[in-house]
Amino acid sequence: MFRINKLTDYAVVLLVDMARSDRVRAAHQIAADTGVPVPTVAKVMKALVRSGLVRSTRGAAGGYLLARPAERIAVADMIQALEGPIALTACVEDADETCDRETFCPMAGHWNRVNAAVRRALEGITLADMAAEPASPHWSTTAPASRAAGGGEAGERRVSMASS
Amino acid sequence: MFRINKLTDYAVVLLVDMARSDRVRAAHQIAADTGVPVPTVAKVMKALVRSGLVRSTRGAAGGYLLARPAERIAVADMIQALEGPIALTACVEDADETCDRETFCPMAGHWNRVNAAVRRALEGITLADMAAEPASPHWSTTAPASRAAGGGEAGERRVSMASS
DNA sequence: TCCAATCGGGACTGAATTGGTCCCCTATCG
DNA sequence: CGATAGGGGACCAATTCAGTCCCGATTGGA
């Protein structure tokens, strides 16, 4: 289903929460605010700190804070923080080892174009956008309406694989 | 790492191969041409047929053929054929049940914007683009050897992703 | 000077998903 | 009527993911 990890999902939730209240808060506080289990918050925060999106203060009265204003944190940054470089396939440019089967890459660098397109799309949306209070209580905006609209378009929550 | 399934990767390989030689070919022939194991080709093809990207002919002398010209098959179509609707999170529009924890969706429909952006990016690239002979790939175009027999296999196209 | 509060880095385990194979049925051609 | 080819799952092994926990390092305050 082409989805991000649940941990990444958590990361976004946490970041949104941090963007809304920019105070230094400890992991357990953020956990209490968001409903995400404390150990999970800690785990996600480690990744966010490592990737430079969040600043941490250690010791008593320590906690976490956004490293940059929310406008300068893109969705791409969040995903990359948790899942590494954005690449739909393992076949990316810096693959020093050629694919084991030559016949596999007759499309060679074509995936890179796809990766770039996706990355660009994800760089165009920021944490500030995600943290913005939704205009309507429920979702009503966004009418994608490009293609696929006819009937499909809908995954159930917890959508599983196509077949089952 | 935000990647597609391996089966989807195979699907693209298979489709590219079909786009380049538009003859009706049996699964085992396509398998021989691409190096993908026969049962896997069969499995992928089933999904492609079900989603309407590929036409199949049964019976003796049967086989597969693209249902549309490659220019009208988008990368988004291929991904959706194998993985269902494109949505980065399970939290999509038609989720009739609110997320189990209210605090989880303070961003409400913001993910939809992201999903739409990604989908649009993937709709902008077609199978024809992927099938185009690469101008300057990294790996000098290797001759289409029919399956590296050796049995080595060891499928290690894995590249980054180990970072986290 | 200690102690308590917090973060940092992994290790570890159970569960879920994926990948790949196989079996049997149906359809078509010669 | 037999051989060839796809259709639809069922099935198991392997990989990956999610979540928890432990211990060391750091800091502020009593």
Side-chain angles (χ1 to χ4, degrees):
Chain A
M1 208 255 288
F2 186 59
R3 72 185 183 288
I4 58 178
N5 288 342
K6 205 180 276 190
L7 278 236
T8 307
D9 196 354
Y10 287 151
V12 176
V13 172
L14 266 35
L15 286 167
V16 165
D17 194 66
M18 294 177 72
R20 287 184 178 166
S21 93
D22 58 346
R23 300 191 309 275
V24 174
R25 282 181 303 165
H28 70 87
Q29 289 177 303
I30 297 176
D33 279 2
T34 56
V36 179
V38 174
T40 301
V41 171
K43 186 174 194 171
V44 170
M45 282 304 181
K46 289 169 193 172
L48 292 177
V49 168
R50 251 191 302 237
S51 61
L53 298 185
V54 165
R55 292 285 293 167
S56 68
T57 318
R58 301 176 70 161
Y64 296 100
L65 199 61
L66 287 186
R68 298 198 293 262
E71 290 77 19
R72 306 215 2 249
I73 298 181
V75 173
D77 295 326
M78 312 184 212
I79 292 178
Q80 287 184 93
L82 274 287
E83 318 202 12
I86 290 178
L88 300 199
T89 63
C91 250
V92 285
E93 296 187 321
D94 66 346
D96 34 52
E97 52 169 331
T98 56
C99 295
D100 47 329
R101 24 191 92 176
E102 330 73 46
T103 58
F104 255 36
C105 278
M107 69 262 289
H110 289 312
W111 271 117
N112 288 326
R113 184 184 321 185
V114 178
N115 292 333
V118 170
R119 192 178 319 126
R120 195 160 40 238
L122 292 175
E123 281 167 355
I125 305 179
T126 70
L127 176 56
D129 295 325
M130 302 291 280
E133 299 288 346
S136 53
H138 251 276
W139 330 286
S140 60
T141 55
T142 63
S146 288
R147 95 188 10 242
E153 172 56 33
E156 309 125 62
R157 179 184 155 58
R158 247 2 90 132
V159 204
S160 43
M161 285 310 312
S163 53
S164 1
Chain B
M1 207 255 289
F2 186 58
R3 72 184 183 289
I4 58 178
N5 289 340
K6 204 179 278 190
L7 277 240
T8 307
D9 195 355
Y10 287 152
V12 177
V13 172
L14 267 34
L15 285 168
V16 165
D17 194 66
M18 295 176 70
R20 287 183 178 167
S21 93
D22 57 348
R23 299 192 310 275
V24 175
R25 281 182 304 164
H28 69 86
Q29 287 177 305
I30 298 176
D33 278 2
T34 57
V36 178
V38 174
T40 301
V41 170
K43 185 173 194 172
V44 170
M45 281 305 180
K46 288 170 193 173
L48 292 177
V49 168
R50 250 190 304 239
S51 62
L53 297 185
V54 165
R55 292 284 292 166
S56 68
T57 316
R58 300 176 71 162
Y64 297 99
L65 198 62
L66 289 185
R68 297 198 294 261
E71 291 78 18
R72 307 217 359 249
I73 297 181
V75 173
D77 295 325
M78 312 183 211
I79 293 178
Q80 288 183 93
L82 273 288
E83 317 202 12
I86 291 177
L88 300 198
T89 64
C91 252
V92 285
E93 295 184 324
D94 70 343
D96 35 51
E97 51 169 333
T98 55
C99 294
D100 42 333
R101 19 194 94 177
E102 335 71 46
T103 56
F104 256 36
C105 275
M107 67 263 292
H110 291 310
W111 271 117
N112 288 325
R113 185 183 320 185
V114 179
N115 291 332
V118 171
R119 192 176 323 126
R120 197 160 37 239
L122 292 174
E123 281 166 355
I125 305 178
T126 69
L127 175 57
D129 295 324
M130 302 291 280
E133 298 290 346
S136 63
H138 254 209
W139 321 288
S140 53
T141 36
T142 49
S146 59
R147 171 98 199 197
E153 186 60 23
E156 285 299 328
R157 302 204 285 149
R158 197 130 316 205
V159 182
S160 19
M161 125 171 250
S163 56
S164 63

